[in-house]
Structure formats: C-alpha cells, structure tokens
Amino acid sequence: MGQAKEWSIATLGSHSALQILKGAKDEGFRAIAVCERGKERPYQLFRVADEIILVDSFKDFPKVEQQLIDKHAVVIPHGSFIAHMGIDETERMRARYYGNKAILRWESDRSMEREWLTKARIDIPHIFDDPARIDRPVIVKFHGAGGGKGYFLAKSPADFAQKIESHPGKKYQIQEYIIGVPIYIHYFFSRLTGELEIMGFDKRYESNVDSIGRISARDQMALASVDPSYVVVGNSPLVIRESLLPKAIEMGESVVEASRGIAPPGLFGPFCLEGVLTPEQRFVIFEISARIVAGTNPYVQGSPYTALRYDEPMSTGRRIARDIKEAIAQGRLDLVTQ
Ligand code: ATP
C-alpha cells in the first residue's frame, strides 16, 4: 500500500469538499464524497468525485464508516464536518482521519482557544467578564452561534443590558470590538517537511454588515430596528501588503509551536488565523480554525502565494492530498493520520 492509487480520500459533501476532492484526484487518489441525499448535485456536476455515498443526514456518517475503511479511505475534516459530527463523534471515528484530533477541543472552546493564542503571544481582543466594566465598543458573541448570527454591538453597560434582554438564557462572550479590516490567514504546516507555508488570505462577505454601508447614515438611523449580523455568504481573495508577511509567518509559527505543548504532537495540516488588522498594522486575532477553512475556496487553481512556491496549481485541498501522498510514499502515514 505504498502508492496513492491504492488509497482513497473521503470527505463530507459541503464546505470545501469540491477542492478537497479535486485535489485528491489531482494527486492520484480515488475521491469519495459522502453527501446528504438531495445535496449531491455539485459533486456530480463538477466531476470531482469518483464515488458518491448517500446518507439521509451527516449524522448517519458512522453507518458508512466501515465502507470507507474497506476502501482504504483517509477522511479529511472541514468546518461543516466538525459542526455536523460533533467533537465526541469525531474522536470516536475509526476511519483514518487526517490531522490531530486532540486539537479540536482547543479550537472549539473559547477559553481554551484564548489560552492557546496567549501562549503563542498572539494579540487577542480584550474580554469583559463583567458587563459593568464595558468602557469601549464591544461585540457580543454567543456560544455555538454558527456564522455570527445574533451577534450584537454595544458601547456601554446600559446599552449591553438593553440588547441582551432579547437573548435570555444564552451563553455569551463580550469581546472588545477591534476597528480595522477583517483578514483571514490560511496556513499549512507539514509534519513531513517541518515547514510552515502561507497558502493565502481572504476576506469574508457577511450579511448584513457588508451591505449596511450602502445605506446612508440617515436611513440607517431610520431603520434602527436593523441589527447588524455577520452571516457569511462567501469569501473573496485578498493579497496583503508584502511588509505584513513577516508578522503573518511569525504568528503561524508561534501557534504551531504553542500547540505542541497543549495537544501533542501539535497542530499540523491546514489552519487559519482570523482577525482584524488595525490602522496601526497590528493583527488582533479573534479566532483560530485548526483545519481547512472555506476562505481557501477561491484558490482551487492555487493562490498568488502558492504560485510563488509551486510550479503547479496548489489548492489547500491538493496540498492536503500531497502531504498524505508523501507520507504514504515514505511509509509514514501514521505521522499525519489518526
Ligand atoms: P466562524 O466560527 O464561522 O468563524 P463565528 O460565528 O465564530 O464564525 P466570528 O468569526 O468570531 O464568528 O465573527 C464573525 C464576524 O464578526 C467576523 O468575520 C468579523 O467581521 C466580526 N468580528 C468578530 N470578532 C470581532 C472583533 N473582536 N472585532 C471586530 N470585529 C469582529
């Protein structure tokens, strides 16, 4: 079993599956999409899957797991994968899994994530444990709120008290609101090469915050009942000022380094730092994703950054498949899978 063609790469049909499956095929693997019945069309239409396994719901993944094991599949996690399966189920998975499962809890629990970023000496927004101490603009985030729905801004303890009334019983975190531009940094760290790569950057297109600015301030006031929301609808490519790259590289290396202490053997594969770049050119990071992010989707043909390093189109999906292929060739698949 020392060649890619004897193995398959499988993932759930959602999120970044198109580039994961295409990347798998480009590297010589069989590509398997596990799709919810009725949602398989993109994977057929774009011809990215050699096989589609249908399930009624992603929750039924354990029912098809043995099939994947029989097909020598390596399963690639992505955002929707973890959201649908849950961490417990993912940890119980018997099929080969690309990545370090021990890191999942560190990225999904807001306080553990904070501890990790602090250990890595990354700048993070101030957290207000006591609403009475709010002394600057804050963003209030609910736990488990997928995609920023219901998040609200507040500027004082009184403003907060009034707005939280419409969210009774919900767990939340009050974060300092950082003024600047949101930037998402895509990384890849290979355990085989021991090297960090910058795969690209993106910015998100969020509804409705990205359209509120199209309404004049006067009309915004008149529409006072329109609360901002941060529901992601897509991602746009971004190239950052070259002088910001050293800091971006340094931050990526520090979170990998810090991860070794908290969740051995540490973070590897694709990951993303999500934050705001201030006018003073300070990166303030509010989230880390320890897996492929959908912001890499514009780069199926590679990004301007992967074009510098590779002489062929290198998406993050393909980079994952390349890592697995090299691990197989070196007889070290256990190094990158669990
Ligand atoms: P996901 O888990 O899908 O990444 P989420 O629900 O955790 O999303 P965040 O990414 O934390 O949401 O935040 C949603 C949006 O809110 C961000 O894209 C950004 O525009 C804005 N935002 C979040 N935190 C801050 C902050 N501290 N300062 C300024 N803007 C922020």
Side-chain angles (χ1 to χ4, degrees):
M1 296 285 293
Q3 285 183 5
K5 65 175 195 257
E6 295 160 304
W7 293 82
S8 312
I9 282 185
T11 197
L12 297 187
S14 182
H15 193 266
S16 44
L18 289 170
Q19 59 157 311
I20 292 174
L21 298 167
K22 159 114 176 78
K25 279 167 80 84
D26 288 345
E27 292 299 306
F29 292 94
R30 280 193 82 240
I32 305 175
V34 177
C35 295
E36 286 187 326
R37 212 174 292 284
K39 297 194 180 155
E40 67 276 23
R41 287 290 287 138
Y43 308 95
Q44 295 166 333
L45 196 105
F46 294 114
R47 313 244 190 287
V48 290
D50 294 301
E51 184 180 350
I52 294 180
I53 300 177
L54 293 177
V55 289
D56 288 329
S57 147
F58 284 141
K59 297 260 176 285
D60 292 333
F61 180 83
K63 292 187 189 161
V64 299
E65 200 178 343
Q66 189 57 46
Q67 276 189 62
L68 296 178
I69 295 170
D70 295 342
K71 292 176 201 289
H72 304 292
V74 177
V75 175
I76 313 296
H78 53 52
S80 306
F81 187 96
I82 308 295
H84 287 288
M85 296 271 294
I87 295 188
D88 290 337
E89 195 60 59
T90 307
E91 281 176 346
R92 274 196 293 274
M93 240 178 73
R94 293 171 300 115
R96 264 189 198 269
Y97 170 96
Y98 178 77
N100 175 7
K101 290 181 186 174
I103 212 79
L104 294 176
R105 292 199 185 271
W106 285 89
E107 63 141 31
S108 62
D109 178 302
R110 283 200 201 282
S111 40
M112 288 170 81
E113 180 182 45
R114 220 174 148 67
E115 192 185 326
W116 176 9
L117 292 173
T118 308
K119 275 192 201 319
R121 299 174 309 280
I122 301 282
D123 278 349
I124 50 183
H126 181 72
I127 299 291
F128 292 88
D129 291 324
D130 178 2
R133 291 187 186 274
I134 296 174
D135 60 358
R136 61 194 103 164
V138 295
I139 178 165
V140 181
K141 299 181 172 187
F142 295 103
H143 287 263
K149 202 169 183 182
Y151 289 5
F152 65 84
L153 306 183
K155 56 181 188 299
S156 63
D159 190 24
F160 170 83
Q162 190 219 327
K163 289 178 175 162
I164 198 69
E165 265 180 20
S166 37
H167 304 276
K170 281 198 203 159
K171 279 181 74 180
Y172 56 80
Q173 188 184 61
I174 307 173
Q175 268 184 20
E176 168 189 13
Y177 188 82
I178 308 293
I179 312 278
V181 290
I183 291 194
Y184 294 73
I185 314 173
H186 318 147
Y187 299 95
F188 189 91
F189 178 76
S190 167
R191 279 195 89 192
L192 298 175
T193 63
E195 214 183 339
L196 181 88
E197 296 170 40
I198 294 268
M199 302 303 289
F201 299 83
D202 77 287
K203 57 181 190 158
R204 290 182 173 180
Y205 198 39
E206 294 167 331
S207 187
N208 57 16
V209 277
D210 285 321
S211 68
I212 286 179
R214 298 172 63 180
I215 308 173
S216 71
R218 189 197 58 200
D219 291 336
Q220 287 178 26
M221 305 286 271
L223 296 170
S225 58
V226 179
D227 288 320
S229 59
Y230 298 84
V231 179
V232 183
V233 292
N235 305 80
S236 309
L238 185 73
V239 170
I240 64 164
R241 280 173 72 167
E242 204 157 304
S243 57
L244 294 169
L245 284 173
K247 181 65 185 166
I249 296 166
E250 182 197 312
M251 290 193 304
E253 286 176 339
S254 343
V255 294
V256 170
E257 182 58 38
S259 72
R260 297 198 178 110
I262 57 171
L267 173 66
F268 64 90
F271 67 101
C272 177
L273 287 178
E274 316 181 348
V276 169
L277 187 68
T278 69
E280 298 74 35
Q281 312 235 356
R282 197 164 68 95
F283 280 107
V284 184
I285 302 298
F286 52 75
E287 187 152 310
I288 179 165
S289 291
R291 42 162 176 88
I292 185 168
V293 289
T296 60
N297 285 341
Y299 304 122
V300 173
Q301 282 290 338
S303 75
Y305 298 94
T306 62
L308 295 168
R309 186 182 168 112
Y310 294 95
D311 291 326
E312 57 201 323
M314 187 58 68
S315 68
T316 296
R318 184 170 186 182
R319 185 66 189 85
I320 295 170
R322 175 72 56 94
D323 208 39
I324 297 171
K325 184 164 132 179
E326 283 173 356
I328 291 169
Q330 295 174 19
R332 300 206 287 169
L333 189 54
D334 287 343
L335 202 68
V336 299
T337 60
Q338 282 185 326

